[in-house]
C-alpha cells in the first residue's frame, strides 16, 4: 500500500503502534468536535491524478448522469410538514457517476478492500468493525462534476460518509457543511429552514486538496458541494462500509441511484 498511500504520515498498517493510536485519537476528537476529520495527502497526489486520467474515457462514455430535483431529505413529503414549509425547498443536483464495476483494477478498489483501511475507519467511528458491501455497484462510487454541476443540500442515509478527492476544480466545488443541524431525536425543521434560506451562521466551507481523505457524520450534518467553476472537473470517490457483512442494494435502489442494476 506504500505505493498508493502516505503510510509514513498515516500508519494505517501499524495498528498496534502508538502512532496509530494517536492518529485514531485525533480523528475521534475531530469527529466529536466538528463532525468531521480530514487527512490531507492521504493518497499520493500522482496516484490520485493517475486514477483520474485512467477513468476519463469511462466517464465520457459510460457514466450515469445523475440529474435530479430533490429536497434535503431526498423524500417526496414529510408527514409533519406542510408541502410549502421552507425545510422542503427543492434544489437541483447534477453529476456523472461511475460504479465499482466500472473501475476494476483501480487503486480505489484496492484501498476499499484493504482490511487495515476498514479497521482504521471503524476505530475512528468507535465501531467494533466495518464491512465492505457485496453490492457490485455501490461499494465504491466516483463522481465527476463539470462546470455548473453541484451536489445540493442533503443529509446522508448512513451515519458516516468517507470520501477521497481525486481532482480539485479551479474554483467552486467546495464542501459546505453544517454540523449537527439535527439529531436522531430532533429533526429541527425550523433550523433546517434557516439553513436553506441562508440564515445559518454556522455553515463551514472546506476546500479539499487531491489525495485528501474526508470522513464526516453525514446523517445529521447537512452538507452540499457548491457549483464547480472552470474547465477542470471535480472528481471524488465515496467508499461505503456497513456495520454488517453482505449488504446489497435492492434492484430498485440500484436503478434509482445508478439507472441500472447488476
Ligand atoms: O463530494 C463530496 O465532497 C461529498 C459527497 C457526499 O456528500 C455524498 O456522496 O453523499
Ligand atoms: Fe452526502
Amino acid at each position: 500500500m506504500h505505493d498508493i498511500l502516505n503510510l509514513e504520515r498515516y500508519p494505517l498498517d501499524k495498528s498496534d503502534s502508538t502512532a496509530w493510536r494517536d492518529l485514531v485519537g485525533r480523528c475521534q476528537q475531530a469527529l466529536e468536535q466538528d463532525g468531521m476529520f480530514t487527512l490531507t495527502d492521504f493518497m499520493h497526489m500522482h496516484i490520485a491524478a493517475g486514477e483520474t486520467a485512467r477513468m476519463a474515457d469511462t466517464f465520457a462514455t459510460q457514466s450515469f448522469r445523475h440529474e435530479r430535483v430533490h429536497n434535503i431529505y431526498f423524500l417526496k413529503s414529510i408527514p409533519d410538514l406542510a408541502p410549502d414549509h421552507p425545510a422542503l425547498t427543492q434544489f437541483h443536483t447534477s453529476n456523472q457517476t461511475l460504479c465499482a464495476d466500472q473501475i476494476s483494477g483501480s487503486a480505489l478498489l484496492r484501498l476499499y478492500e484493504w482490511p487495515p483501511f476498514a479497521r482504521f475507519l471503524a476505530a475512528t467511528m468507535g465501531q467494533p468493525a466495518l464491512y465492505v458491501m457485496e453490492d457490485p455497484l455501490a461499494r465504491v462510487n466516483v463522481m465527476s462534476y463539470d462546470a455548473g454541476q453541484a451536489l445540493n443540500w442533503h443529509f446522508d442515509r448512513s451515519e458516516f460518509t468517507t470520501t477521497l478527492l481525486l481532482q480539485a476544480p479551479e474554483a467552486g466545488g467546495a464542501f459546505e457543511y453544517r454540523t449537527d443541524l439535527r439529531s436522531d431525536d430532533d429533526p429541527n425543521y425550523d433550523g433546517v429552514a434557516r439553513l436553506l434560506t441562508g440564515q445559518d451562521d454556522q455553515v463551514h466551507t472546506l476546500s479539499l486538496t487531491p489525495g485528501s481523505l474526508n470522513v464526516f457524520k453525514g446523517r445529521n450534518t447537512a452538507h452540499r458541494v457548491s457549483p464547480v467553476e472552470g474547465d477542470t472537473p471535480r472528481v471524488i470517490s465515496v467508499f461505503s462500509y456497513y456495520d454488517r457483512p453482505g449488504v446489497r442494494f435492492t434492484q430498485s435502489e440500484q436503478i434509482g441511484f445508478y439507472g441500472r442494476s447488476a
Side-chain angles (χ1 to χ4, degrees), residues 191-214:
V192 171
R194 277 195 297 278
L195 171 79
L196 301 181
T197 51
Q199 300 171 69
D200 189 321
D201 59 8
Q202 291 181 64
V203 176
H204 296 289
T205 299
L206 183 69
S207 286
L208 295 165
T209 51
S212 294
L213 182 76
N214 194 33

